[in-house]
Amino acid sequence: MASVKDAPTDTVTLDKQSFLTEMIRDLSGTLQDVIGIEEASGMISIVGATIGKDLNAQYRQQFATDQMTVDQVCHTLVDLKRRIDGGFKVTEVTREAIILENTACPFGKAVIGRKSMCMMTSNVFGKITAENLGYARVELKETIAQGDKGCRVVIKLNPSDSIDEIDGREYFREDD
């Protein structure tokens, strides 16, 4: 009988990052299969909102402010994704919207086929934007999860009067 010390270890590709990524992928996949994509997205949205609230507090502290400006919000959204190996950049800022594009998902290829995982981005971006600018409607126009070569996220900064124009998820500033 071979001892444990003689067992080969170079064929095991386990590390903390890959383990956590696969765990989240499998969890989101299980949720999608058992309760459906909409409900799975809702569950992940709850987690994303909590993370967004925590990150918002940290970035406000970094900027030494109780309310970030549009420029600070844009910096925050790009910076937080950069810190977790995302490839986001702001491509346009107007009074109506912040548009971001992404070339690298923090979840890597594990996100493919797991659209519910995109609710982390939607909720973190929506929570931070709404808490500082009053309102956000996050539209995931393109996502790596659904097979696009990158992500295109449009964050509308003003509510629409027309129900026909509403796409995405809405976020509002919470009253303290």
Side-chain angles (χ1 to χ4, degrees):
M1 175 187 269
S3 72
V4 174
K5 68 178 182 171
D6 296 330
T9 59
D10 58 349
T11 58
V12 177
T13 60
L14 182 65
D15 62 33
K16 183 178 181 178
Q17 181 64 39
S18 65
F19 173 77
L20 293 174
T21 298
E22 285 304 311
M23 184 178 71
I24 292 168
R25 175 185 165 72
D26 291 347
L27 178 59
S28 68
T30 300
L31 286 170
Q32 286 180 200
D33 293 345
V34 173
I35 61 175
I37 186 75
E38 289 300 318
E39 288 79 7
S41 296
M43 298 296 283
I44 292 173
S45 293
I46 294 168
V47 176
T50 301
I51 291 171
K53 182 178 179 179
D54 293 343
L55 289 171
N56 186 52
Q58 289 181 47
Y59 279 95
R60 281 180 171 181
Q61 183 176 9
Q62 176 181 308
F63 287 117
T65 187
D66 289 334
Q67 189 172 340
M68 290 187 273
T69 66
V70 172
D71 288 341
Q72 290 169 329
V73 167
C74 289
H75 168 82
T76 296
L77 302 181
V78 170
D79 184 65
L80 71 88
K81 287 295 188 172
R82 177 193 58 79
R83 290 174 184 266
I84 60 172
D85 295 332
F88 276 86
K89 66 179 180 180
V90 174
T91 59
E92 186 177 350
V93 179
T94 68
R95 289 183 181 170
E96 290 80 36
I98 298 169
I99 301 173
L100 301 104
E101 292 181 358
N102 177 39
T103 57
C105 181
F107 295 113
K109 293 180 192 250
V111 78
I112 296 172
R114 300 293 194 262
K115 295 192 296 187
S116 62
M117 291 170 70
C118 297
M119 288 302 98
M120 287 300 266
T121 296
S122 178
N123 278 272
V124 169
F125 281 11
K127 186 73 172 168
I128 290 171
T129 302
E131 287 299 321
N132 291 286
L133 306 179
Y135 173 85
R137 184 173 71 245
V138 179
E139 300 174 1
L140 304 173
K141 296 292 192 181
E142 297 173 11
T143 67
I144 294 169
Q146 65 187 16
D148 296 312
K149 65 180 179 179
C151 301
R152 186 165 188 271
V153 179
V154 176
I155 304 172
K156 300 285 180 128
L157 303 176
N158 302 299
S160 176
D161 291 334
S162 170
I163 192 75
D164 296 331
E165 292 180 24
I166 296 178
D167 186 22
R169 291 183 178 261
E170 291 184 297
Y171 303 86
F172 301 88
R173 178 182 292 141
E174 288 182 18
D175 294 326
D176 294 327

